[in-house]
Coordinates of all heavy atoms in Angstrom, one line a residue:
G784 N -11.2 -5.4 56.5 CA -12.5 -4.8 56.8 C -13.3 -4.3 55.8 O -14.4 -3.8 55.8
T785 N -12.9 -4.6 54.5 CA -13.7 -4.3 53.3 C -14.9 -5.2 53.1 O -14.7 -6.5 53.2 CB -12.8 -4.2 52.1 OG1 -11.7 -3.4 52.1 CG2 -13.7 -3.9 50.8
H786 N -16.1 -4.7 53.1 CA -17.3 -5.6 52.9 C -18.0 -5.3 51.5 O -18.9 -6.0 51.2 CB -18.2 -5.4 54.0 CG -18.7 -3.9 54.1 ND1 -18.2 -3.0 55.0 CD2 -19.7 -3.3 53.5 CE1 -18.8 -1.9 55.0 NE2 -19.7 -2.0 54.0
A787 N -17.4 -4.2 50.7 CA -18.1 -4.0 49.5 C -17.1 -3.3 48.5 O -16.4 -2.4 49.0 CB -19.3 -3.1 49.6
V788 N -17.2 -3.6 47.2 CA -16.4 -3.0 46.2 C -17.4 -2.4 45.2 O -18.3 -3.2 44.6 CB -15.4 -4.0 45.5 CG1 -14.7 -3.3 44.4 CG2 -14.4 -4.4 46.6
V789 N -17.3 -1.2 44.9 CA -18.1 -0.5 43.9 C -17.2 -0.2 42.6 O -16.2 0.5 42.8 CB -18.8 0.7 44.4 CG1 -19.6 1.5 43.4 CG2 -19.7 0.3 45.6
L790 N -17.7 -0.6 41.5 CA -17.1 -0.2 40.2 C -17.9 0.9 39.5 O -19.0 0.5 39.0 CB -16.8 -1.4 39.3 CG -16.0 -2.5 39.9 CD1 -15.8 -3.7 38.9 CD2 -14.6 -2.0 40.4
E791 N -17.5 2.1 39.6 CA -18.2 3.1 38.9 C -17.7 3.2 37.4 O -16.5 3.4 37.2 CB -17.8 4.5 39.6 CG -18.8 5.6 39.3 CD -18.6 6.2 38.0 OE1 -17.3 6.7 37.7 OE2 -19.4 6.6 37.2
M792 N -18.5 2.8 36.5 CA -18.2 2.6 35.1 C -18.7 3.6 34.1 O -18.9 3.4 32.9 CB -18.7 1.2 34.8 CG -18.2 0.1 35.7 SD -19.1 -1.4 35.5 CE -18.2 -2.1 33.9
H793 N -19.0 4.8 34.6 CA -19.5 5.9 33.6 C -18.6 6.2 32.6 O -19.0 6.4 31.4 CB -19.9 7.2 34.4 CG -20.3 8.3 33.6 ND1 -21.3 8.4 32.8 CD2 -19.6 9.5 33.4 CE1 -21.5 9.4 32.2 NE2 -20.4 10.1 32.5
Q794 N -17.3 6.1 32.8 CA -16.3 6.5 31.9 C -15.7 5.2 31.2 O -14.5 5.4 30.6 CB -15.3 7.5 32.4 CG -15.8 8.7 32.7 CD -14.8 9.8 33.2 OE1 -14.1 10.3 32.3 NE2 -14.8 10.2 34.5
L795 N -16.3 4.1 31.4 CA -15.7 2.9 30.7 C -16.5 2.9 29.3 O -17.7 2.6 29.4 CB -16.0 1.6 31.5 CG -15.6 0.3 31.0 CD1 -14.1 0.3 31.0 CD2 -16.2 -0.9 31.7
V796 N -15.7 3.1 28.2 CA -16.3 3.1 26.9 C -16.9 1.7 26.4 O -18.0 1.7 26.0 CB -15.3 3.7 25.9 CG1 -15.9 3.8 24.5 CG2 -14.7 5.0 26.4
S797 N -16.1 0.7 26.5 CA -16.4 -0.6 26.0 C -15.6 -1.7 26.8 O -14.8 -1.4 27.5 CB -16.1 -0.7 24.5 OG -14.7 -0.6 24.2
I798 N -16.2 -2.8 26.6 CA -15.5 -4.0 27.2 C -15.6 -5.2 26.3 O -16.7 -5.4 25.5 CB -16.4 -4.3 28.6 CG1 -15.8 -5.5 29.3 CG2 -17.8 -4.6 28.2 CD1 -16.4 -5.6 30.6
D799 N -14.6 -6.1 26.3 CA -14.6 -7.2 25.4 C -14.8 -8.5 26.3 O -15.1 -8.4 27.5 CB -13.5 -7.3 24.5 CG -12.2 -7.7 25.3 OD1 -12.2 -7.7 26.6 OD2 -11.1 -8.0 24.7
N800 N -15.0 -9.6 25.7 CA -15.2 -10.9 26.4 C -14.1 -11.2 27.5 O -14.5 -11.7 28.6 CB -15.3 -12.0 25.4 CG -16.4 -12.0 24.4 OD1 -17.5 -11.6 24.9 ND2 -16.2 -12.4 23.2
S801 N -12.9 -10.9 27.2 CA -11.9 -11.1 28.2 C -12.1 -10.1 29.4 O -11.9 -10.5 30.6 CB -10.4 -10.8 27.6 OG -10.2 -11.7 26.6
G802 N -12.5 -8.9 29.1 CA -12.8 -8.0 30.2 C -13.9 -8.3 31.1 O -13.9 -8.2 32.2
L803 N -15.0 -8.8 30.4 CA -16.2 -9.3 31.0 C -15.8 -10.5 31.9 O -16.2 -10.7 33.1 CB -17.2 -9.7 30.1 CG -18.6 -10.3 30.6 CD1 -19.3 -9.2 31.5 CD2 -19.5 -10.7 29.5
D804 N -14.9 -11.4 31.4 CA -14.6 -12.6 32.2 C -13.8 -12.2 33.4 O -13.8 -12.8 34.5 CB -13.7 -13.6 31.2 CG -13.2 -14.7 32.1 OD1 -14.1 -15.6 32.4 OD2 -12.1 -14.9 32.4
A805 N -13.0 -11.0 33.3 CA -12.1 -10.5 34.4 C -13.2 -10.1 35.5 O -12.8 -10.3 36.6 CB -11.2 -9.4 33.9
L806 N -14.2 -9.4 35.1 CA -15.2 -9.0 36.2 C -15.9 -10.1 36.8 O -16.1 -10.1 37.9 CB -16.3 -8.1 35.5 CG -15.9 -6.6 34.8 CD1 -17.0 -6.0 34.3 CD2 -15.2 -5.8 36.0
M807 N -16.2 -11.1 36.0 CA -16.8 -12.4 36.6 C -15.9 -13.0 37.6 O -16.2 -13.5 38.7 CB -17.3 -13.2 35.4 CG -18.3 -12.6 34.6 SD -18.7 -13.7 33.1 CE -19.6 -15.0 33.9
Q808 N -14.6 -13.1 37.2 CA -13.6 -13.7 38.1 C -13.4 -12.9 39.3 O -13.3 -13.4 40.5 CB -12.3 -13.9 37.4 CG -12.4 -15.0 36.2 CD -12.8 -16.3 36.6 OE1 -12.5 -16.8 37.7 NE2 -13.7 -17.0 35.8
L809 N -13.4 -11.5 39.2 CA -13.5 -10.7 40.4 C -14.6 -10.9 41.3 O -14.4 -11.0 42.4 CB -13.2 -9.2 39.8 CG -13.4 -8.1 41.0 CD1 -12.1 -8.3 41.8 CD2 -13.4 -6.7 40.4
H810 N -15.7 -11.1 40.7 CA -16.9 -11.3 41.5 C -16.7 -12.5 42.3 O -17.1 -12.6 43.6 CB -18.2 -11.4 40.6 CG -19.5 -11.9 41.3 ND1 -20.0 -11.2 42.4 CD2 -20.1 -12.9 41.1 CE1 -21.1 -11.9 42.8 NE2 -21.1 -13.1 42.0
K811 N -16.2 -13.7 41.7 CA -16.1 -14.9 42.3 C -15.0 -14.8 43.5 O -15.3 -15.3 44.6 CB -15.7 -16.0 41.4 CG -16.8 -16.3 40.4 CD -16.3 -17.4 39.4 CE -17.4 -17.8 38.4 NZ -16.9 -18.8 37.4

Side-chain angles (χ1 to χ4, degrees):
T785 300
H786 60 261
V788 172
V789 176
L790 300 182
E791 200 278 319
M792 305 171 72
H793 172 64
Q794 299 190 65
L795 184 71
V796 179
S797 64
I798 184 173
D799 72 352
N800 290 324
S801 297
L803 180 61
D804 182 70
L806 291 179
M807 297 171 72
Q808 296 302 321
L809 175 65
H810 169 58
K811 292 179 181 179

